[in-house]
Amino acid sequence: MRILVTGGGGFLARGMAGPLAAGGHTLRLMDRAVFETPHECVAGDVAVLDDVRRAAAGMDGVVISHMAPREPNAYATPDACFRINVTGTANILFAAQELGVKKVVIISSTGRKPGDAAAWLATLPIQGEGLYGATKECQEVLGQHYAREHGMQIALLRVGYIVDADVMKDKYGRAVGERNALDVDRRDIGEVARLCLEQNHAGLRVLPVMSTRESFFEWGVRVTVDTLSWTPRFDFDALPSDQTQNG
Ligand SMILES: NC(=O)c1ccc[n+]([C@@H]2O[C@H](COP(=O)([O-])OP(=O)(O)OC[C@H]3O[C@@H](n4cnc5c(N)ncnc54)[C@H](O)[C@@H]3O)[C@@H](O)[C@H]2O)c1
């Protein structure tokens, strides 16, 4: 398959690239500027429809992984974060539908968990906090809309707290010293995204993606394991347990 990854230069996308390309898939990474990578890389703004149309042309699937930067001001007012996260996602789904690209994976988040794991998985959209959370809610609604209205195959991946398990650091370079139920290595997310694109199914799927043993019960990750025959590779078992949930 030919797979477009938006936000291709970001923390998550850089870790997903290897597992996504496994099995002979070809990647096109889109970000605001080109960067050094063995994969095809295109510059563009997801909020500009023609940039997205160019990036999505000739693709078989898309992974939406861009986000407005977590800089102090990016989420202080709605303009930048809604332009990038929401209009950007709407542009990609619109262009994909226009171009006949049927399979899309949207990187979502966990938000708050109302009730148990089953209730949380049935809650659509997630209940996000602040303007960041509001944009993630909108992304889930857009995915649901395109699955229902256009019969597209959409997977919403509700990912936890993303870690590079090789160095036990998060996207800001902060050390991860304790195991939190939400922890997940970015390569495991890449593998889940690839499995989603390789499968054929109708409509919308909501899948939690974390990889600690606690997450199987607390966040319903067993659903993802069973649906995709996925085996998480990074369990964070070597870390002492933390009681808080900080995804
Ligand atoms: N990092 C986490 O722990 C975490 C947790 C839950 C969910 N997520 C989700 O994972 C996804 C990826 O996040 P990340 O941590 O890799 O963020 P990141 O900031 O490292 O990467 C985002 C990328 O998007 C790019 N981008 C920004 N504006 C753009 C634009 N207008 N056009 C094209 N590209 C643009 C940025 O340049 C950057 O490379 C997001 O959807 C985020 O909500 C992340």
Side-chain angles (χ1 to χ4, degrees):
M1 292 178 74
R2 293 156 298 175
I3 302 169
L4 170 67
V5 184
T6 67
F11 178 69
L12 172 58
R14 284 176 192 263
M16 285 197 296
L20 271 175
H25 302 302
T26 305
L27 303 190
R28 177 181 292 167
L29 308 179
M30 178 195 192
D31 213 299
R32 291 178 294 183
V34 292
F35 55 92
E36 197 63 37
T37 170
H39 306 284
E40 182 188 1
C41 184
V42 297
D45 182 348
V46 287
V48 176
L49 181 57
D50 279 344
D51 286 4
V52 173
R53 282 183 168 127
R54 269 193 295 276
M59 297 291 110
D60 304 303
V62 182
V63 180
I64 298 179
S65 184
H66 64 270
M67 69 172 271
R70 283 271 196 178
E71 289 160 1
N73 289 327
Y75 291 88
T77 58
D79 48 356
C81 60
F82 270 75
R83 179 180 171 277
I84 296 169
N85 297 5
V86 182
T87 302
T89 298
N91 280 343
I92 292 152
L93 289 164
F94 181 87
Q97 190 268 325
E98 198 178 50
L99 293 161
V101 183
K102 287 271 183 212
K103 297 182 175 185
V104 178
V105 171
I106 300 176
I107 304 296
S108 185
S109 193
T110 55
R112 229 167 40 77
K113 187 172 64 170
D116 61 10
W120 171 67
L121 274 174
T123 301
L124 196 89
I126 55 158
Q127 299 182 1
E129 281 178 31
L131 285 177
Y132 169 74
T135 67
K136 302 306 288 182
E137 292 182 26
C138 292
Q139 288 184 312
E140 290 208 344
V141 170
L142 285 165
Q144 184 183 34
H145 173 85
Y146 275 84
R148 186 188 68 241
E149 286 282 306
H150 300 288
M152 288 170 65
Q153 175 176 318
I154 311 278
L156 299 178
L157 302 191
R158 291 185 176 172
V159 307
Y161 181 60
I162 306 172
V163 175
D164 177 353
D166 285 346
V167 290
M168 285 299 172
K169 289 193 172 158
D170 70 7
K171 81 183 254 189
Y172 303 104
R174 289 185 301 230
V176 177
E178 293 183 315
R179 187 178 74 253
N180 182 288
L182 289 168
D183 291 342
V184 58
D185 184 86
R186 45 199 190 156
R187 290 160 289 188
D188 269 329
I189 303 171
E191 188 165 357
V192 168
R194 176 174 56 77
L195 292 169
C196 286
L197 292 172
E198 286 174 349
Q199 287 195 357
N200 294 311
H201 65 85
L204 187 77
R205 269 182 176 167
V206 180
L207 297 173
V209 191
M210 303 127 207
S211 59
T212 59
R213 58 186 139 90
E214 292 88 348
S215 68
F216 277 57
F217 175 69
E218 291 174 23
W219 292 88
V221 169
R222 170 63 57 195
V223 171
T224 310
V225 167
D226 290 345
T227 304
L228 301 174
S229 301
W230 169 56
T231 307
R233 284 195 291 155
F234 302 93
D235 57 18
F236 301 92
D237 266 1
L239 298 178
S241 177
D242 171 20
Q243 297 311 310
T244 61
Q245 302 196 331
N246 57 356

